[in-house]
Amino acid sequence: MIILNRSVPEKLRKLQCSIRRGFSELEDDLLKIEAGYAGERYVDLRWQDMNLHTTYALFHDYSFYLNGFSYQVDTVFVCKQFMLILEIKNMVGEIHFDEERHQFIRIKQDGKVEGFRNPIDQVKRHARALRQLIGESLPIEYAVVFSNSKAIIGRTPENEGVFHVSGLETHVSKLLLKHIVPVNQEKYDAVVDQLKKHYSKPVVQFDLDLSKIMKGVLCSRCHYKRKMHFQHGKFECVYCHYRSNVPLREALFDYYVLVGEWITNKEFRDYVEMDSADAAKRLLQSLCVTYEGTNKGRRYRIADIFEKSPISEVNSLIYRRNR
């Protein structure tokens, strides 16, 4: 049973909106976050193919705070025999673990050598924290899983779980044979409840100079390089003549993600670059359910637009480079 689904990382959405708003220098950061998220989603799907004859709970992208420190675990698998935590990597190239120096090395096809933080050290840290969280209720196992079949796993420390995602079911099956004696239902439920209780949505640190955000409603057909102008109730691109208010929703989505969930009439007009306060008021009232204040002090909750929309519609507003 999936207790916690994996959601789109907040940092990924912030990067997508930032790039649409003119911060093209963040492209490399976005690529890394997108690759990591894609790898995690790929591993998530593998659990559905497994034929595990045991009761279990899955927590994807599980984060919590303990003793003033934050922890974010890619996946936590809990059954009556043990807990397994996964660190997921989406990488290509030749991978080596230097146990003595606690290094994680990748050799790319062009021969370039890159060093990264050792994921085994990272997943061990998570295991220690979860041990404090659940006590001695269950044995805790951990593994590093590579989601991309083009990763060539070279040197690895002995007796450590490091493998491709294709070996995940086999690894879990071996652990079920290793830990034969299950805890009772009450203890199992207590562990799951403890994890639910301590889950905390991570706070994303994202520094952006809001004064440099590109303003205006941007034309998606012109790859967000041209601004649209408000004419006769809709925004129109003066270059390709695309006429629609969908780009307005995209613009407000960017504002919601990067700036905040509330906006005044004046802030709205400044951001989308339109003059008429009355036209702005009509647009805001047609889009936003919630508002507070009166006259010039009134502000509208643009979060309503996206929180009340189907996830598929929200996803359609996200910036993608291949448009």
Side-chain angles (χ1 to χ4, degrees), residues 275-300:
D275 297 324
S276 173
D278 290 335
K281 181 180 179 180
R282 287 193 294 270
L283 281 173
L284 287 168
Q285 287 181 337
S286 69
L287 290 168
C288 304
V289 175
T290 308
Y291 60 86
E292 62 180 27
T294 58
N295 300 324
K296 292 184 179 180
R298 174 170 291 181
R299 61 178 191 160
Y300 300 82

Side-chain angles (χ1 to χ4, degrees), residues 21 213-218 227-230 235 248 266-276:
R21 288 288 139 188
I213 285 180
M214 183 190 298
K215 295 180 180 179
V217 174
L218 307 177
K227 293 184 180 182
M228 304 176 77
H229 298 283
F230 187 72
F235 284 86
L248 171 62
K266 184 178 184 302
E267 289 169 339
F268 175 77
R269 284 183 283 121
D270 179 63
Y271 176 60
V272 302
E273 297 184 335
M274 62 184 295
D275 297 324
S276 173

